[in-house]
Amino acid sequence: MVRVERRRLTERLKRAIALPITVVEGAAGCGKSVALFDALSGGDRPFTLFDVGPEHGRLPAFVQGLADALAPYAPGPRIAFASAYSRAIVSPQPTHSLAVWLQEHLKDLDLTIAIDNLHNADGDPLIHGFVGRLLERTLTNVRWVLCARATHYLPVAGWLAFGRMELPIGEADLAFTDDEIEALARGRRISLASGAAHAIEERTGGWATGVAFLLQPGADAGNGSPIRALEPLIQRVLDAYDADALRSLLATYYLPELSVELLLAIGGHALALQVDALRARSPFLFTDGRAPRYHDRFREALRARLSLIDPVQKQAALDSAAYVLTHYKRFVECLSLRLETGQADACIEILEKHGIELVEQGNADLVEAAVASLQHMDAELPASVIALRAMIDSRLGRFDTAEAWFAQAIARVEILDLDHA
């Protein structure tokens, strides 16, 4: 992917990162992640980047993902996460307890910690509270960078008032100037007519994805309606695909990421090459982190198109994705996928085989949610799954409900014994 040096923006980010907290805020497609990575990689401080995905939308998954990102510099949080979360969840203030625990592991580090795509976790108020608590204490050599589409739930005003950050870096800062558009065109070996860069800037408002889209071979760069939103560009890409090509992408929709490992496992080299070709033509459809994934807006549009595909084919693709995730022991994502698609029997099978392991790894909330969803589906729960829920309640100090669950599990075993007598 061709990059252009945007010294103005990079220097703005570097000045901001000199303070304890930096906030980068802007709509989808305005270039937040690219600008952030360029500034971090071009600096002289060590950094780690936590790319928040949809799978991190629960507090334990979020903290665990952050601990994984910190592991090269501080392995302690990843090792001790399960026990720390078990203690925190029974405390009066679990988010405060987790924040204090993690701060202790970070206090001696000299590190910039960037959390990108934080909006993927904005549905859980507990995560909001955890991030606020985590950043409220200044650590001598730790810098935090938060990158999201919106940050209204963060105490930005307080951070500004106490001089802990500069004004947030927003869409005006991230917008391409005429000179930067010309530089990007040269990097792509595209010759622009006089005034074309300014025409592109006016048509897009400097919006990064719109600029990149118009600097493609064959694009009508200087004329036409404004291009300042992602959805119309996504529809153009999808309209260029025929039904067979879209069907071949079906299995990738169910994957949590588009790593080479998973693509090869689910569809072989042909599918991996198809996804690579799509990414080369339309990089704005993907987000970059430890592994690429579909941009959430593209995933939503792809889902709408795939709703017309034969249910048998959809089920086969879903089963293939679940099989691959199970093969790589990614049981959290597999259980989440089965829950999302209402596969009760498959959920029960995962809980029977791996439920205790999931609880021990700090995913008790997911297991509890799975059991509740299965009850809502009127699924018949085996004794082992009922006992799993009892174990969770017992660990959380809910002894009355734990006793009731254990009684149900025993009763279920006795009924089975009678049936086999």
Side-chain angles (χ1 to χ4, degrees):
M1 187 184 301
V2 176
R3 295 281 180 89
V4 59
E5 182 181 5
R6 304 180 68 192
R7 187 171 300 174
R8 165 193 62 84
L9 178 56
T10 300
E11 292 303 317
R12 169 81 170 87
L13 273 162
K14 286 182 178 178
R15 288 196 307 273
I17 293 171
L19 292 175
I21 301 172
T22 301
V23 172
V24 183
E25 183 176 12
C30 67
K32 301 182 296 296
S33 298
V34 173
L36 173 61
F37 183 79
D38 286 348
L40 292 174
S41 59
D44 54 4
R45 282 178 57 82
F47 72 91
T48 189
L49 181 63
F50 172 33
D51 178 29
V52 182
E55 69 274 17
H56 300 121
R58 303 174 295 109
L59 177 64
F62 182 90
V63 179
Q64 198 167 25
L66 179 56
D68 288 343
L70 291 166
Y73 302 93
R78 182 165 65 178
I79 295 169
F81 165 73
S83 59
Y85 184 77
S86 295
R87 292 193 302 271
I89 203 66
V90 296
S91 69
Q93 297 179 301
T95 56
H96 177 76
S97 175
L98 279 172
V100 170
W101 163 76
L102 189 54
Q103 286 166 344
E104 286 301 304
H105 285 278
L106 302 179
K107 63 182 181 181
D108 295 324
L109 293 182
D110 184 2
L111 186 66
T112 297
I113 304 169
I115 303 178
D116 193 14
N117 293 308
L118 184 57
H119 50 267
N120 279 325
D122 65 7
D124 187 350
L126 290 176
I127 295 177
H128 305 170
F130 170 74
V131 173
R133 290 281 191 180
L134 185 60
L135 273 64
E136 72 179 3
R137 175 185 170 192
T138 300
L139 301 174
T140 306
N141 292 312
V142 173
R143 305 285 184 268
W144 294 95
V145 185
L146 307 179
C147 194
R149 292 176 193 161
T151 56
H152 57 275
Y153 50 83
L154 296 173
V156 172
W159 294 339
L160 284 167
F162 286 99
R164 301 190 65 206
M165 62 173 283
E166 290 189 352
L167 287 170
I169 294 166
E171 292 181 25
D173 301 292
L174 295 164
F176 273 73
T177 64
D178 293 2
D179 290 343
E180 290 168 347
I181 292 172
E182 289 178 351
L184 182 58
R186 288 193 298 271
R188 294 186 171 191
R189 299 182 179 179
I190 295 173
S191 178
L192 292 180
S194 176
H198 183 65
I200 291 173
E201 191 280 328
E202 286 196 325
R203 189 174 170 191
T204 62
W207 179 56
T209 297
V211 170
F213 183 81
L214 291 178
L215 290 179
Q216 296 182 106
D220 186 5
N223 301 295
S225 59
I227 298 180
R228 298 175 186 176
L230 198 55
E231 285 74 8
L233 300 187
I234 290 173
Q235 294 306 322
R236 290 192 194 187
V237 173
L238 289 175
D239 288 343
Y241 268 77
D242 60 28
D244 289 338
L246 277 177
R247 272 194 291 271
S248 64
L249 288 177
L250 177 58
T252 67
Y253 168 81
Y254 294 111
L255 295 176
E257 64 192 42
L258 301 172
S259 63
V260 173
E261 179 182 64
L262 292 183
L263 287 174
L264 289 175
I266 202 168
H269 288 281
L271 181 60
L273 289 174
Q274 183 182 359
V275 173
D276 282 346
L278 177 62
R279 191 178 180 201
R281 287 197 308 271
S282 306
F284 57 88
L285 301 180
F286 298 79
T287 61
D288 291 308
R290 286 183 300 171
R293 67 179 82 227
Y294 288 136
H295 193 286
D296 58 350
R297 300 288 174 83
F298 178 65
R299 196 167 183 271
E300 290 168 9
L302 188 59
R303 179 175 187 169
R305 296 288 179 109
L306 294 175
S307 65
L308 304 175
I309 288 178
D310 176 41
V312 174
Q313 290 180 311
K314 290 174 67 174
Q315 186 61 50
L318 170 60
D319 290 340
S320 295
Y323 175 82
V324 168
L325 292 173
T326 301
H327 175 75
Y328 287 106
K329 302 187 185 303
R330 298 178 65 159
F331 304 120
V332 170
E333 286 125 320
C334 190
L335 179 58
S336 298
L337 176 60
R338 294 297 198 181
L339 276 176
E340 179 187 345
T341 51
Q343 308 290 305
D345 291 343
C347 289
I348 289 172
E349 183 180 355
I350 295 169
L351 292 174
E352 286 192 292
K353 291 181 177 179
H354 308 290
I356 292 176
E357 179 184 349
L358 289 170
V359 172
E360 295 292 346
Q361 292 172 348
N363 295 291
D365 69 317
L366 175 61
V367 173
E368 186 175 5
V371 174
S373 294
L374 289 169
Q375 287 182 298
H376 185 70
M377 296 179 205
D378 292 327
E380 185 174 342
L381 301 180
S384 58
V385 173
I386 297 173
L388 195 61
R389 174 60 197 269
M391 183 180 74
I392 293 171
D393 278 1
S394 179
R395 287 188 173 203
L396 295 177
R398 302 193 293 240
F399 299 115
D400 289 345
T401 54
E403 185 176 354
W405 282 108
F406 275 125
Q408 284 190 46
I410 293 169
R412 181 61 52 85
V413 171
E414 289 175 347
I415 290 172
L416 289 174
D417 287 344
L418 288 172
D419 289 342
H420 289 90

